[in-house]
C-alpha cells in the first residue's frame, strides 16, 4: 500500500508540472508568444501574449485575452484572430507601428468581446465607418489612443442594450466633430488631446453620456448648440484648450464643469444656463464671482429668472388653493373634480402657453428654493486676497481720493516741468534733479488717473472686465509707469538729499557735485528704473496679478526676489534720507539751533520732508516684508489704501515741498508768465529781491554755513 502511495506522489511531481507547462507557458525574453494566467479573486482569464511577431499563431488553448505588442503586422482582419472568436473577451494592440488597415468585419463575430484597446499605431490613419456595427452586446470598453485617425467611426451601435463603460479616443488626430457625428450611450466619452478645432451644432445629438471630456483640444470654433442634444450629461471637461466661447445650450443637466488652464475663455455664460451645476473648476477666480453675483454678471438673465420664479411661485400658490378647495369640497360630500389639468385661461399672461399639469408644477414647486439659490455653487479658484470680488478701488471714498490726488499730482508736476524746461539755459544740479523728480511723479499721476478711469467704467461689475483689464495693454502700461516712477522718484529724492547734505556739510570745499557727474548718476537711475519696470513684462513677476496692476506675484522664487528688491531699495533710500537730514540738522551753527525762530523753522522743514516720506513708504515696506515672510497682516482691500492712496501722496506733495513753495520757483514762474504779458510787476519785484539777496551774500564775510533746504539760486 505504501508503495502505491509513493508511486502516486512521484507521478504528481513528474507529470503535473509538465501538463501545467503545456497549458500555461511561462513568458521569457526569448519567446515571441506565450500563454499566461491572468486570474484574480473575481475572474479567471487566460492571456495569449505576443511580441515582435509577423502573424498571429494558432494556440490550442482557451484564450480570453489577446495581447499583441511591438509587432510589424500591417493588416488586421477577422481571419487573423478567427480561431479565438468563441472565447476572446479582450483585445490589446500596443505599439503596432506598421498597422495600416482594420477590416470592417474584424470584430463582428466575437460574441464575448468586452473591450478593445489600440495604442501607438502611428500608421493607422482611418477606421472603417461600420467597424463597430454588430458587435457583441457585452462590449463595454473601447480605447483607441495615439494613432493618426482623423475621424470617429459610427458609434450608434455601441451601448444600445447596455451603456458602454468607456469610449476613449485620446491622443489621435481628430479635427472636427460634425453635426450628428456621435450618437452613443456611455458612462464616459473621452476625446482628450486631439486636434479638435470645430464642434458643429448638435454634434452629440441623441447621445446619452454621463462624462464628456474634450481636455487638451483647441476648441476654437464652438457654437451655441455644440453640446445641444446630449442627454443626462453630468460632467464636462474642457480644460487645457483655446476656447473663446462656452456654449450656453445643452448644459442644464451638468453637475461638474471643468475649464482649467484655459486663459482664452474670458467670458462665461450666466449661472442660469447651468440648471444643476454643483462644482465648477475654472481658470480665473473672477468667473467664480460671476456665479456668486449673478445679478451683476448678467442683469437681463437675472431679471428673467426672477420673473420666471415669481410666475412659478404664483402658479404654485394657486395650485395650493385649488387643493385646499378640493379637500373642502370632498369633505362636504361633493364629487371630487377629476381633471388633473390646471386651467390657466384665467390669467392673460399664459394664454399662448400650453396648460401645465399639476404633476409638473408639483415638481417645480418643490424645487423653487433650489432654483433661487444659484449662488451655492462650489467654484475654484476661489476669489482670494489678491483678486477679491470687488471693484478696483473697493471703497467709494477711496475712488474720490484717488481722483483728487491724481489730478492734483498731474497738474502740479506738469507746472513744475513747464517752468523748469523754460529755464533750461540756466540749469543747475538741484534744478536738474527736480525736473527728474517731477517727471517721475508725473508718471505716477498718469497711473492713478488710468486706474481711476478703469474703476469708473467697470464700477459694480469689475469681474466682467477683469480679464480684459488685467491681461490687456492698459494694465501693463499702468504697472510699468508705477514701478518706473516709484524707483526713479526714490532715486531722485536720494540724490537731492545727498546734494543738500553735501552742500551744507562741505560748504567750504570747492569739489561739490558737478552737473556732469549728477547727469551720469541720474542716467544710471533711469536705466535701473527702466530695467525694474520691464522685468514683469518679461515674466519675472507679473502686472496681471491684481486689479491695481502692481507686481505682487509671490508664487515663484523670481517674483519673491523681485518684490524683495523693490522693498529693500525703498527701505535703504528712506534710511539714507533720514540719516542725511539728521546730519544736516546737527551741522547747524550753535546760534541757529538755539534761536527760537530759526530752530522752529528748520525743525519744521525737516519734519515735513522726513514725515511725508515716512507716511508714504514705511507702511508699504512694513506690510510688504511681512507678506513676503508668509505672515500677511492685511488683505488686498486694505492694501489698496496704502498702495493707491498713501504711497502716491508723495507724487502730489513733492512738487510743493521741493519746488512750488520755494522763492526761486516763484521767480522762475513769474518770469515764464511775464513772457505772455502777465504779472510784469511781480517779475520786477522778484528780480529786485533776488539782486539784493545776491549782493548781500557777496558782501557778507564767510562764516559757518546755515541751513538752506530750498533750491540753490542759479
Amino acid at each position: 500500500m505504501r508503495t502505491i502511495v509513493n508511486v502516486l506522489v512521484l507521478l504528481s511531481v513528474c507529470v503535473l508540472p509538465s501538463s501545467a507547462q503545456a497549458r500555461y507557458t511561462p513568458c521569457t525574453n526569448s519567446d515571441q508568444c506565450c500563454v499566461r494566467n491572468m486570474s484574480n479573486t473575481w475572474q479567471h482569464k487566460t492571456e495569449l501574449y505576443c511580441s515582435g511577431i509577423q502573424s498571429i499563431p494558432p494556440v490550442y488553448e482557451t484564450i480570453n485575452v489577446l495581447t499583441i505588442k511591438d509587432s510589424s503586422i500591417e493588416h488586421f482582419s477577422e481571419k487573423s484572430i478567427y480561431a479565438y472568436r468563441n472565447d476572446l473577451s479582450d483585445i490589446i494592440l500596443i505599439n503596432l507601428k506598421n498597422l495600416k488597415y482594420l477590416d470592417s468585419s474584424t470584430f463582428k463575430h466575437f460574441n464575448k468581446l468586452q473591450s478593445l484597446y489600440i495604442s501607438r499605431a502611428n500608421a493607422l490613419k482611418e477606421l472603417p465607418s461600420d467597424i463597430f456595427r454588430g458587435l457583441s452586446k457585452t462590449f463595454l470598453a473601447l480605447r483607441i489612443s495615439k494613432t493618426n485617425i482623423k475621424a470617429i467611426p459610427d458609434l450608434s451601435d455601441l451601448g444600445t442594450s447596455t451603456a458602454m463603460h468607456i469610449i476613449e479616443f485620446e491622443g489621435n488626430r481628430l479635427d472636427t466633430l460634425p453635426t450628428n457625428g456621435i450618437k452613443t450611450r456611455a458612462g464616459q466619452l473621452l476625446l482628450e488631446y486631439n486636434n479638435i478645432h470645430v464642434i458643429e451644432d448638435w454634434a452629440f445629438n441623441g447621445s446619452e453620456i454621463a462624462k464628456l471630456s474634450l481636455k487638451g483640444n483647441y476648441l476654437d470654433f464652438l457654437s451655441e448648440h455644440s453640446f445641444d442634444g446630449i442627454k443626462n450629461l453630468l460632467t464636462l471637461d474642457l480644460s487645457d484648450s483655446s476656447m473663446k466661447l462656452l456654449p450656453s445650450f445643452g448644459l442644464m443637466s451638468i453637475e461638474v464643469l471643468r475649464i482649467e488652464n484655459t486663459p482664452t475663455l474670458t467670458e462665461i455664460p450666466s449661472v442660469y444656463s447651468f440648471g444643476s451645476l454643483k462644482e465648477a473648476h475654472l481658470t480665473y477666480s473672477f468667473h467664480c464671482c460671476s456665479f456668486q453675483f449673478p445679478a451683476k454678471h448678467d442683469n437681463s438673465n437675472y431679471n428673467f429668472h426672477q420673473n420666471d420664479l415669481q410666475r412659478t411661485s404664483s402658479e404654485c400658490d394657486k395650485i395650493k388653493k385649488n387643493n385646499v378647495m378640493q379637500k373642502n369640497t370632498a369633505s362636504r360630500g361633493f364629487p371630487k373634480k377629476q381633471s388633473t389639468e390646471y386651467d390657466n385661461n384665467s390669467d392673460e399672461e399664459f394664454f399662448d402657453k400650453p396648460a401645465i399639469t399639476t404633476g409638473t408644477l408639483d415638481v417645480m414647486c418643490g424645487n423653487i428654493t433650489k432654483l433661487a439659490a444659484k449662488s451655492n455653487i462650489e467654484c475654484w479658484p476661489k476669489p482670494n486676497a489678491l483678486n477679491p470680488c470687488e471693484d478696483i478701488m473697493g471703497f467709494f471714498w477711496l475712488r474720490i481720493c484717488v481722483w483728487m490726488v491724481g489730478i492734483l499730482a498731474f497738474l502740479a508736476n506738469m507746472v513744475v516741468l513747464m517752468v523748469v524746461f523754460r529755464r533750461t539755459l540756466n540749469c543747475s544740479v538741484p534744478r536738474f534733479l527736480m525736473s527728474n523728480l517731477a517727471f517721475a511723479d508725473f508718471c505716477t499721476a498718469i497711473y492713478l488717473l488710468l486706474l481711476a478711469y478703469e474703476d469708473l467704467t467697470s464700477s459694480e461689475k469689475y469681474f466682467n472686465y477683469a480679464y480684459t483689464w488685467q491681461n490687456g495693454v492698459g494694465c501693463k502700461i499702468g504697472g510699468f509707469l508705477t514701478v518706473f516712477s516709484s524707483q526713479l522718484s526714490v532715486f531722485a529724492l536720494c540724490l537731492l538729499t545727498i546734494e543738500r547734505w553735501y552742500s551744507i556739510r562741505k560748504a567750504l570745499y570747492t569739489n561739490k557735485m558737478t552737473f556732469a557727474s549728477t547727469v551720469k548718476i541720474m542716467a544710471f537711475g533711469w536705466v535701473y528704473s527702466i530695467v525694474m519696470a520691464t522685468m514683469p513684462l518679461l515674466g519675472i513677476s507679473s502686472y496681471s496679478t491684481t486689479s491695481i496692476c502692481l507686481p505682487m506675484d509671490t508664487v515663484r522664487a523670481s517674483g519673491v526676489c523681485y518684490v524683495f528688491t523693490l522693498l529693500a531699495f525703498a527701505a535703504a533710500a528712506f534710511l539714507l534720507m533720514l540719516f542725511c537730514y539728521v546730519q544736516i540738522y546737527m551741522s547747524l551753527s550753535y546760534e541757529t539751533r538755539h534761536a527760537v525762530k530759526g530752530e522752529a523753522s528748520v525743525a519744521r522743514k525737516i519734519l515735513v520732508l522726513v514725515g511725508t516720506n515716512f507716511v508714504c513708504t514705511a507702511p508699504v515696506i512694513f506690510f510688504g516684508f511681512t507678506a513676503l515672510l508668509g505672515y500677511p497682516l492685511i488683505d488686498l482691500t486694505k492694501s489698496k489704501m496704502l498702495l493707491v492712496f498713501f504711497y502716491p501722496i508723495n507724487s502730489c506733495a513733492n512738487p510743493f515741498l521741493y519746488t512750488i513753495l520755494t522763492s526761486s520757483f516763484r521767480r522762475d514762474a513769474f518770469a515764464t508768465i511775464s513772457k505772455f504779458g502777465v504779472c510784469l510787476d511781480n517779475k520786477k519785484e522778484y528780480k529786485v529781491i533776488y539782486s539784493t539777496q545776491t549782493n548781500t551774500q557777496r558782501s557778507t564775510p564767510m562764516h559757518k554755513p546755515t541751513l538752506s533746504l530750498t533750491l540753490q539760486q542759479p
Side-chain angles (χ1 to χ4, degrees), residues 242-459:
S242 302
M243 62 184 300
K244 300 177 182 178
L245 168 70
L246 177 61
S248 56
F249 293 95
L251 305 180
M252 290 297 292
S253 63
I254 65 170
E255 297 180 354
V256 179
L257 176 64
R258 293 184 178 274
I259 316 180
E260 299 171 296
N261 194 26
T262 307
T264 53
L265 183 65
T266 60
E267 297 182 7
I268 199 165
S270 171
V271 66
Y272 301 113
S273 299
F274 310 97
S276 306
L277 190 62
K278 297 179 181 178
E279 294 182 15
H281 304 263
L282 308 176
T283 303
Y284 300 110
S285 60
F286 50 79
H287 284 158
C288 293
C289 297
S290 302
F291 289 162
Q292 189 174 350
F293 301 98
K296 294 181 179 180
H297 175 232
D298 189 345
N299 188 257
S300 60
N301 214 323
Y302 172 79
N303 291 332
F304 176 81
H305 177 75
Q306 293 300 316
N307 293 334
D308 189 57
L309 281 179
Q310 291 178 2
R311 287 195 299 267
T312 305
S313 179
S314 63
E315 293 298 315
C316 292
D317 292 339
K318 292 178 181 179
I319 286 182
K320 292 178 181 179
K321 292 179 181 179
N322 288 340
N323 290 338
V324 172
M325 292 176 62
Q326 289 177 6
K327 290 180 180 179
N328 293 335
T329 303
S331 63
R332 294 171 185 171
F334 292 98
K336 189 175 181 179
K337 187 177 180 179
Q338 298 297 322
S339 175
T340 59
E341 297 287 323
Y342 171 68
D343 184 9
N344 62 347
N345 292 332
S346 60
D347 194 340
E348 295 181 359
E349 192 174 3
F350 294 89
F351 275 175
D352 298 329
K353 297 183 180 180
I356 304 175
T357 64
T358 55
T360 304
L361 270 175
D362 285 341
V363 174
M364 295 176 65
C365 293
N367 289 305
I368 285 181
T369 304
K370 179 181 177 181
L371 292 172
K374 285 295 181 183
S375 60
N376 297 328
I377 297 174
E378 289 293 328
C379 186
W380 294 272
K382 294 183 179 296
N384 52 28
L386 294 180
N387 289 286
C389 295
E390 64 181 25
D391 293 335
I392 295 178
M393 292 300 124
F395 301 99
F396 179 77
W397 68 266
L398 184 60
R399 180 178 294 127
I400 300 300
C401 291
V402 167
W403 274 106
M404 293 175 59
V405 173
I407 293 174
L408 187 59
F410 181 87
L411 295 176
N413 287 285
M414 185 171 63
V415 169
V416 172
L417 290 173
M418 291 175 60
V419 172
V420 171
F421 286 147
R422 294 284 295 182
R423 305 282 293 179
T424 52
L425 296 178
N426 192 16
C427 191
S428 61
V429 171
R431 195 185 303 276
F432 171 73
L433 294 177
M434 280 306 309
S435 64
N436 283 271
L437 179 61
F439 180 78
D441 293 337
F442 184 76
C443 292
T444 302
I446 295 176
Y447 161 74
L448 290 177
L449 294 177
L450 190 64
L451 276 188
Y453 176 77
E454 182 63 25
D455 175 70
L456 182 65
T457 57
S458 62
S459 178

Side-chain angles (χ1 to χ4, degrees), residues 97-250:
K97 296 182 179 180
N98 297 326
L99 181 63
K100 297 180 180 179
Y101 306 104
L102 287 172
D103 287 348
S104 59
S105 61
T106 302
F107 311 109
K108 277 188 169 48
H109 299 94
F110 291 80
N111 298 325
K112 296 183 179 180
L113 188 62
Q114 296 179 359
S115 68
L116 171 63
Y117 178 51
I118 302 175
S119 178
R120 287 179 286 171
N122 296 330
L124 186 62
K125 298 181 179 180
E126 185 179 4
L127 291 175
S129 60
D130 59 344
I131 189 172
F132 300 124
R133 290 181 185 173
L135 288 185
S136 166
K137 294 183 179 181
T138 61
F139 192 67
L140 298 175
L142 171 63
R143 301 178 65 190
I144 300 177
S145 64
K146 297 179 177 62
T147 70
N148 281 311
I149 62 173
K150 297 182 179 180
I152 298 177
D154 184 11
L155 303 177
S156 58
D157 275 9
L158 300 183
T160 53
S161 58
T162 303
M164 296 281 291
H165 289 177
I166 182 172
I167 299 176
E168 179 182 8
F169 287 85
E170 182 261 334
N172 300 291
R173 293 290 183 267
L174 306 178
D175 55 5
T176 301
L177 299 182
T179 301
N180 297 318
I182 297 178
K183 183 179 181 181
T184 187
R185 294 175 65 230
Q188 299 183 69
L189 176 58
L190 310 180
L191 307 177
E192 300 175 346
Y193 297 101
N194 286 276
N195 294 329
I196 300 176
H197 288 267
V198 181
I199 300 180
E200 297 180 357
D201 290 341
W202 304 87
F204 304 91
N205 188 29
S207 296
E208 292 186 46
I209 304 169
K211 177 182 179 181
L212 174 61
S213 179
L214 291 157
K215 183 178 181 180
N217 289 282
Y218 292 101
L219 306 181
D220 40 10
F221 294 100
L222 300 182
S223 67
E224 286 289 348
H225 297 278
S226 291
F227 300 114
D228 219 344
I230 305 179
K231 301 176 183 178
N232 303 322
L233 181 62
L234 300 179
T235 301
L236 178 62
D237 193 344
L238 304 172
S239 302
D240 299 330
S241 67
S242 302
M243 62 184 300
K244 300 177 182 178
L245 168 70
L246 177 61
S248 56
F249 293 95

Side-chain angles (χ1 to χ4, degrees), residues 419 422 667-680:
V419 172
R422 294 284 295 182
R667 173 175 54 82
D668 293 340
F670 284 121
T672 302
I673 297 174
S674 65
K675 294 183 179 181
F676 300 96
V678 182
C679 300
L680 296 177

Side-chain angles (χ1 to χ4, degrees), residues 386 541-543 545-546 548 550-555 563 636 639 643:
L386 294 180
S541 192
S542 174
Y543 290 130
T545 308
T546 65
I548 56 177
L550 292 179
M552 292 185 175
D553 181 13
T554 57
V555 177
V563 176
L636 182 66
S639 298
L643 299 172

